[in-house]
Amino acid sequence: MGIGETAIGHKGAGQWVLCKADDSAQPIHLSSMEGQIGPDVVDMRGLYKQAGVFSYDPGFANTAACQSAITYIDGEEGVLLHRGYPIEQLCEKASFTDVAWLLSHGELPDAQQKVRFEQGLMAEAHLHEQIRNFFNGFRRDSHPMAMLCGTLAGLSSFYGNQGADQRHRITPEEREMSTLRLVAKMPTLAAWVYRYSRGLPLIYPRPGLSYAENCLHMLFSMPEAPWAVNPVLARAFDRILILHADHGQNVSTSTVRTVGSTGVNPFACIAAGVAALWGPAHGGANEAVLDMLDEIGTVDGIPDFMNRVRNQKDGTRLMGFGHRVYKKLDPRAGLMRRICHEVLAELGMDHDPRLELALKLEETALNDEYFISRRLYPNVDFYSGIILRAMGIPSSMFTVFFAVARTAGWVAQWKEMLESRPGISRPRALYVGQTRRDVPSSYGAED
């Protein structure tokens, strides 16, 4: 196995040419594709047919696996757009249900669409009563994401036969209903996961409450003492959902699109996204931030902790800083920071030691050449865990509510994937194992 030298050059008029550096082979002509904004891409689909080779891109960091009109990210400039709308404007002017509609339908809902959609979400928010029995199969101390993933996949046996066999193509009407059901039922399922783990009675959705309010109601109400709406906390939670609704072709979204390409039932498809989100390198990062703050302890512990981070051999990481996509400040981080101050002020926790520690840690990192040179800025996870814990949501549930929010993006991506009819996903591999060999003639013989 070796590495050959290949050159790729722009030929103009949307054409690229790929050839051996020593001109020992015929050049391969590839076309380019232009996005609405952002970099062009080289269309590699004809590469194997022309040259008998595949491209190699571990992690797919330089590969566009699909065409999408849902979310655009410019990591160099710190830009995040949903259907063209900046995340800052959506966070200020829209609700989470507005954004969920936007992601799936391409435009913000008008007044009539908004009412119909929210009424549909309320009508579909209840779970089949037999779902209660699913929880009895889990230990009370099971990880909440395990319960969410398992019960969500189980919902596929209750709602429709989409993906049941090759002969059934999911119709547009079924896609719309599946989208509505998934977005509607996820908060109920998430709340029941929490209630079961705490041995608390399961609470049902309450008509008249907004999407975010119902999330908090099902978490914190008791039969004898319904949760009282706090508009500041409800609006804060709604914006947290917006900030996590979609983020382009990350690992969980790519998983949803890949699994969905098989035609599987959408509940099982979204369950695959939940499984991908579970990983600490993806959805579990905000919980890791709180663990880090607990490890540092006080402001006095910051210098020693930062020294350990700089010593790369130590293995200590500064959690909540840096992002694989953003090379400037994550645009969601500043919004989350503002929400954090609003929530803690409302709860009378302005001088919470963990917030003061986080602020000092942020200040230290932003003025340290080691982190500046590596473009390590706070990301959305740095403050979200502080907010959720202050609201009474335990850290084990953080990723669960990340999944609730991200479901809006997942179903939009799933719909877009089905409508484009791309065929089943099938990545290739650079094989580095043994060449053909025969099993020894003596193998398996009696001694």
Side-chain angles (χ1 to χ4, degrees):
M1 181 185 70
I3 300 176
E5 293 189 13
T6 304
I8 184 167
H10 192 216
K11 195 176 181 182
Q15 293 291 317
W16 291 77
V17 61
L18 185 70
C19 59
K20 291 286 186 180
D22 59 3
D23 293 326
S24 61
Q26 288 294 317
I28 302 155
H29 296 276
L30 303 168
S31 62
S32 64
M33 302 172 68
E34 295 182 7
Q36 195 72 9
I37 48 179
D40 296 346
V41 301
V42 179
D43 187 350
M44 306 294 284
R45 285 175 293 182
L47 181 61
Y48 181 73
K49 185 176 181 180
Q50 291 189 56
V53 299
F54 298 122
S55 59
Y56 181 65
D57 184 20
F60 309 112
N62 302 288
T63 298
C66 65
Q67 296 185 46
S68 180
I70 297 172
T71 293
Y72 172 74
I73 302 169
D74 184 339
E76 295 295 330
E77 297 299 324
V79 172
L80 173 60
L81 307 177
H82 292 321
R83 299 288 190 178
Y85 294 108
I87 188 63
E88 296 87 348
Q89 294 180 20
L90 292 173
C91 203
E92 177 187 355
K93 299 180 178 181
S95 69
F96 174 72
T97 52
D98 294 336
V99 173
W101 176 276
L102 170 70
L103 293 173
S104 284
H105 297 90
E107 299 292 342
L108 288 165
D110 60 31
Q112 191 175 34
Q113 289 169 332
K114 181 181 178 73
V115 169
R116 279 205 312 266
F117 185 53
E118 291 180 347
Q119 287 176 343
L121 290 173
M122 188 67 244
E124 289 292 337
H126 288 273
L127 295 171
H128 194 290
E129 278 296 293
Q130 283 184 253
I131 298 298
R132 298 172 68 105
N133 298 328
F134 279 42
F135 290 96
N136 294 329
F138 292 103
R139 290 166 49 117
R140 294 276 180 183
D141 60 355
S142 297
H143 195 288
M145 287 294 280
M147 289 191 277
L148 180 68
C149 191
T151 51
L152 180 57
L155 290 179
S156 60
S157 63
F158 290 85
Y159 300 105
N161 63 344
Q162 298 100 307
D165 57 61
Q166 292 276 348
R167 295 166 295 177
H168 181 83
R169 185 177 294 279
I170 303 175
T171 66
E173 293 75 21
E174 288 171 335
R175 290 198 290 269
E176 285 297 316
M177 179 53 71
S178 293
T179 295
L180 184 70
R181 282 175 171 162
L182 277 156
V183 175
K185 295 181 188 303
M186 279 293 282
T188 311
L189 192 56
W192 283 17
V193 164
Y194 169 73
R195 307 284 297 199
Y196 176 80
S197 67
R198 296 300 176 96
L200 299 172
L202 304 184
I203 300 295
Y204 292 91
R206 195 170 93 202
L209 296 182
S210 71
Y211 190 92
E213 288 170 348
N214 249 319
C215 286
L216 298 175
H217 153 69
M218 290 186 287
L219 272 178
F220 299 127
S221 284
M222 293 296 287
E224 72 283 2
W227 175 77
V229 174
N230 181 317
V232 174
L233 299 187
R235 178 59 182 146
F237 193 76
D238 189 77
R239 284 183 288 167
I240 291 171
L241 295 176
I242 291 173
L243 292 174
H244 288 91
D246 192 65
H247 205 240
Q249 304 307 309
N250 52 74
V251 63
S252 59
T253 299
S254 298
T255 297
V256 168
R257 294 185 76 122
T258 298
V259 174
S261 73
T262 69
V264 70
N265 181 287
F267 286 91
C269 179
I270 302 304
V274 171
L277 188 70
W278 190 350
H282 188 14
N286 50 10
E287 184 177 351
V289 170
L290 289 185
D291 293 340
M292 175 188 70
L293 295 177
D294 289 340
E295 178 186 349
I296 296 172
T298 66
V299 170
D300 293 338
I302 291 177
D304 177 65
F305 180 80
M306 290 304 216
N307 287 332
R308 287 163 51 201
V309 173
R310 293 187 198 94
N311 179 10
Q312 297 181 13
K313 294 180 180 179
D314 185 272
T316 300
R317 295 180 59 196
L318 183 60
M319 304 304 300
F321 276 72
H323 196 280
R324 187 168 184 181
V325 172
Y326 296 111
K327 306 309 177 187
K328 286 189 175 180
L329 186 68
D330 181 342
R332 302 167 299 170
L335 298 167
M336 196 68 79
R337 191 179 197 269
R338 192 186 318 157
I339 295 168
C340 186
H341 284 284
E342 291 173 6
V343 167
L344 295 185
E346 176 67 18
L347 296 173
M349 300 170 64
D350 310 61
H351 302 294
D352 177 66
R354 187 177 283 106
L355 175 62
E356 293 180 357
L357 174 58
L359 289 172
K360 185 62 178 177
L361 185 65
E362 179 185 49
E363 178 188 343
T364 302
L366 291 178
N367 289 282
D368 189 307
E369 183 56 35
Y370 178 88
F371 301 102
I372 295 172
S373 64
R374 287 162 174 77
R375 299 200 282 186
L376 295 176
Y377 302 101
N379 59 42
V380 70
D381 298 307
F382 188 68
Y383 283 103
S384 61
I386 298 174
I387 302 170
L388 294 174
R389 183 176 284 184
M391 293 175 70
I393 299 173
S395 57
S396 62
M397 287 293 296
F398 291 172
T399 315
V400 171
F401 279 101
F402 190 162
V404 170
R406 188 52 59 85
T407 297
W410 286 336
V411 293
Q413 299 274 353
W414 169 76
K415 280 180 59 184
E416 184 180 64
M417 180 275 304
L418 289 179
E419 288 160 3
S420 67
R421 299 185 179 183
I424 190 170
S425 294
R426 182 60 173 89
R428 302 286 186 164
L430 176 65
Y431 179 71
V432 295
Q434 295 282 352
T435 58
R436 177 191 163 88
R437 52 181 174 167
D438 295 322
V439 176
S441 58
S442 60
Y443 182 79
E446 296 282 344
D447 288 337

